[in-house]
Amino acid sequence: MSDFNPARINLAASYLGCSLKQLAARAGMGDSTIYGLARGDMPFLEGAARKLSYATGLPLNFFILPEHVFAEQSLTFRRRPRMLKPERERITGEFTMLANSARKLIGIAGMEHSTNWISAMAPTYAPTAPDIERLAQEARIVCGIPLDSPVNNVMRAFEKQGVPIAPMRVDGANGRGEGVTSPTRPNDATVIGYFSGSRSGDGMRFTIAHEAGHLILQRHRRPDTTKDTEHEAHAFASAFLLPEREARSLLSPSMTIRDFLPIKARWGVSIAALITRGHRLGIFDNERNRSLMMQLSARGWRTTEPVEVPEEHPILMRQLMGNAFGTVTSPTTATATREGIEGFLGIPAALADVWCDGITITENDNKPNQADTPYGKDTQ
């Protein structure tokens, strides 16, 4: 019986954004051979695995792991009309690898129960607008953020509560995607992936809060439509970043477009998102909302807004990786061995470097350790 997992062949093809036929050509295999291997009709032996490893750049151990492969439908990234099937498959393939790797790293760090708060908070029913406002406030309380204060660092707020956040290697289909998670499969790790691209600092903060909204609101249930799924997450992100009481004290129907600038600077929320927030709360009626958005467009601010919000960077994946396969020398600096990453996680070290937003890769063989991760030691 073979030690190699045929399901990983399809995952490798998805990760590369190619068909099995294209993968066969890269590996110098016949079409019938690779289809037979992927279906399990033929024994998947080391010789074929080595060919595929060489052709894909994936470690040999990648083809051994028996881990769950996510279905595209279980993920929450927005499948916009221009996003082609290979692009969607690449996102699905990489997120599968990210979530499975995060699950292992969390296990090594002894953090398996660090996100139980999400399951405890998550509704089992379709939340109303007031429910979402309340849940966003509860999430702030869990994250230790006062209800009348800005979120200084959105990534760190959720990382401190055990949610790894990682930039993806795949580019999000050239700006047609922003973030991705899988809220209904907590056993495969509660993790957020994002596509950095050219997103502004305020846009990325909203993206992370949006994906956190998926995790919290849709842990136990999934809306019937993609539109409803996204609407809930948008509403959560808006409420998390700017609570209702503060929004009502800051926003008024008589505001000019320039009145939004100091609010954006303090709260780290885009002008467009502030206008939408005011409209959803009934502060701006339809006519005023339309007028403000037209002013935004006329100034060219729909693409590039004034007031730069600093870019945030995650640190938890780097700490988990260093904890498992090397050393953590500071909250933002860690090393990990290539042998540990490629042998234990079955992913290329270069991919781990991307997910960690930068980590020093060493060639020395250190075994995974059980030391406590220093996650959460830095201040927000």
Side-chain angles (χ1 to χ4, degrees), residues 133 238-239 242-244 246-253 255 260 263 269-286 288-290 292-293:
E133 294 286 338
S238 297
L242 182 61
E244 180 175 355
E246 298 305 310
R248 293 191 181 280
S249 71
L250 293 167
L251 307 178
S252 70
M255 293 178 69
F260 289 92
I263 302 174
V269 180
S270 72
I271 298 171
L274 290 170
I275 296 170
T276 300
R277 179 73 166 137
H279 185 223
R280 285 179 173 166
L281 291 174
I283 299 169
F284 307 134
D285 61 21
N286 290 340
R288 187 59 181 151
N289 178 68
R290 184 165 50 252
L292 289 168
M293 286 298 188

Side-chain angles (χ1 to χ4, degrees), residues 325-352:
F325 308 120
T327 58
V328 179
T329 53
S330 78
T332 58
T333 309
T335 67
T337 65
R338 183 181 305 276
E339 292 86 352
I341 294 168
E342 298 190 348
F344 188 70
L345 299 181
I347 61 170
L351 182 58

Side-chain angles (χ1 to χ4, degrees), residues 6 12 55 80 87 95 125 143 168 190 225 227 261 294 318 352:
R80 299 184 181 179
E87 297 171 328
F95 185 81
Y125 53 87
C143 294
M168 305 276 282
T190 298
T225 67
K227 181 179 179 180
L261 299 181
M294 288 175 63
R318 184 187 304 121

Side-chain angles (χ1 to χ4, degrees), residues 58-134:
L58 295 166
L60 186 63
N61 276 13
F62 171 87
F63 295 97
I64 295 176
L65 300 174
E67 297 165 333
H68 168 74
V69 177
F70 286 78
E72 179 189 325
Q73 292 72 23
S74 71
L75 307 186
T76 58
F77 70 92
R78 280 179 283 174
R79 300 155 184 81
R80 299 184 181 179
R82 292 179 297 157
M83 188 178 286
L84 303 177
K85 181 179 179 181
E87 297 171 328
R88 299 195 307 268
E89 289 181 343
R90 287 181 63 203
I91 292 170
T92 304
E94 184 176 346
F95 185 81
T96 291
M97 295 160 65
L98 170 62
N100 286 324
S101 296
R103 176 180 53 80
K104 288 184 173 182
L105 294 172
I106 286 169
I108 291 172
M111 292 169 52
E112 295 93 335
H113 305 296
S114 61
T115 56
N116 285 356
W117 64 274
I118 293 178
S119 295
M121 181 186 299
T124 56
Y125 53 87
T128 63
D131 290 330
I132 294 174
E133 294 286 338
R134 174 181 54 79

